[in-house]
Amino acid sequence: MADEGVDHPGLIVPVGHVEPVPRRIRAQVGGRWVFDTRRARYVWEWPGYPQYSIPLRDLAEGVLTDDGRVGRLGPGPARRHSLRVGSEVREGAAWVWDEGAPAELIGTARFRWDALDAWYEEEEQVFVHPRSPYTRVDALRSSSRVRVEVDGAVLADAPSSVKLFETGLPTRYYVERTHVDWTLLRRSDTVTTCPYKGRTSEYWSFARGPVVREDLAWAYDFPTVSCAAVAGMVAFYNEHVDLYVDGVLLPRPTALSRAQWDKGQRADS
């Protein structure tokens, strides 16, 4: 049964789930292709999103050396390896699955995302982590009026919006910049990336007198093709503002901390 306090679909993939990746997966270190495979596997180490596991026989450059450290990731035991590519050495770059892991993973390695310089699905670069085949991201034009307030100050009041629906996350409401009160916002240096939407172009913080609320709003000027409808528009964190949709104040969703969202990445440390 769904949690009555949550207004969006949850994540349903269990830890340890393995699926084939029907895409060409490549990654680089120092401009060299470390691997090039059409036989990768998705493996879920936590329900939020999968990692790629790469067949060892598809390594194109570099050598993996056993660090002598055995660990247990969500799906099972693995041995940590470092990667050497030319003169580049990436310590603890990969976990090679050991006996006791799912049979589909034996003979493959799960590379730490930030140990490699760039990842590609087919010809498109992928950021942060693989795109989950079970996650939908839909950006739909809507006639819903959206008003955003912080401490009684109106940051935006828009007669229409684009609603972005992403599995496992609250609905995000994007509004045109012409309906935002820019006198209450100041630009920050924050940049974030998303495997589904791309790289943010700007973030803004609320600033009124001595009160500052960091990074409440953001925009994607050049989002991925699938999210083109939000290009140039502004969204606000539902978790940290009072958000009215068609005159109704929405309950604030529980803020998901960055530490929680990065749980799968932290398994490497």
Side-chain angles (χ1 to χ4, degrees):
M1 180 180 295
D3 184 340
E4 293 184 359
V6 176
D7 66 352
H8 55 272
L11 303 168
I12 62 173
V13 185
V15 171
H17 188 62
V18 179
E19 291 281 9
V21 178
R23 311 174 187 205
R24 183 186 185 188
I25 305 300
R26 294 179 290 170
Q28 290 181 327
V29 166
R32 301 184 184 188
W33 294 108
V34 177
F35 52 78
D36 184 348
T37 183
R38 291 179 171 84
R39 295 176 290 205
R41 292 288 184 266
Y42 291 119
V43 53
W44 275 262
E45 297 177 13
W46 82 298
Y49 51 81
Q51 299 286 352
Y52 298 124
S53 203
I54 307 299
L56 296 173
R57 57 182 171 168
D58 289 336
L59 288 180
E61 285 267 3
V63 176
L64 287 174
T65 56
D66 195 330
D67 291 343
R69 174 177 169 183
V70 179
R72 185 173 184 87
L73 308 183
R79 300 187 67 88
R80 199 180 76 169
H81 286 62
S82 292
L83 172 68
R84 178 183 292 276
V85 181
S87 61
E88 297 266 1
V89 177
R90 304 292 167 90
E91 300 288 343
W95 289 93
V96 176
W97 298 100
D98 211 350
E99 184 177 351
E104 307 98 311
L105 298 179
I106 300 301
T108 71
R110 198 275 280 161
F111 285 83
R112 199 177 77 244
W113 193 269
D114 61 2
L116 307 181
D117 295 340
W119 294 75
Y120 291 84
E121 289 186 348
E122 300 296 339
E123 306 306 315
E124 294 190 8
Q125 188 170 357
V126 184
F127 301 96
V128 188
H129 60 74
R131 301 178 178 117
S132 171
Y134 300 121
T135 293
R136 283 191 64 97
V137 181
D138 298 302
L140 305 179
R141 290 180 295 109
S142 173
S143 60
S144 290
R145 187 177 193 93
V146 172
R147 188 169 85 253
V148 180
E149 298 183 6
V150 171
D151 297 338
V154 178
L155 301 185
D157 193 352
S160 61
S161 56
V162 170
K163 297 180 181 179
L164 191 139
F165 304 95
E166 183 174 345
T167 306
L169 291 176
T171 303
R172 300 303 186 192
Y173 299 84
Y174 285 76
V175 300
E176 297 288 356
R177 295 186 185 217
T178 51
H179 301 299
V180 175
D181 185 350
W182 294 105
T183 66
L184 297 174
L185 296 173
R186 70 181 188 193
R187 187 173 181 177
S188 81
D189 294 328
T190 300
V191 175
T192 60
T193 52
C194 170
Y196 306 102
K197 299 182 288 292
R199 188 187 302 273
T200 56
S201 50
E202 293 178 280
Y203 262 84
W204 297 273
S205 301
F206 170 73
R208 186 173 64 171
V211 178
V212 176
R213 305 288 179 83
E214 298 290 343
D215 293 337
L216 289 185
W218 69 89
Y220 291 91
D221 287 349
F222 304 99
T224 59
V225 172
S226 61
C227 294
V230 305
M233 303 182 80
V234 178
F236 296 82
Y237 274 114
N238 313 35
E239 296 88 340
H240 304 301
V241 301
D242 293 323
L243 198 152
Y244 295 81
V245 177
D246 293 326
V248 177
L249 176 62
L250 301 186
R252 290 191 183 186
T254 301
L256 181 67
S257 73
R258 185 66 188 176
Q260 288 174 302
W261 190 247
D262 285 345
K263 181 180 177 182
Q265 304 277 13
R266 297 203 322 275
D268 298 309
S269 59

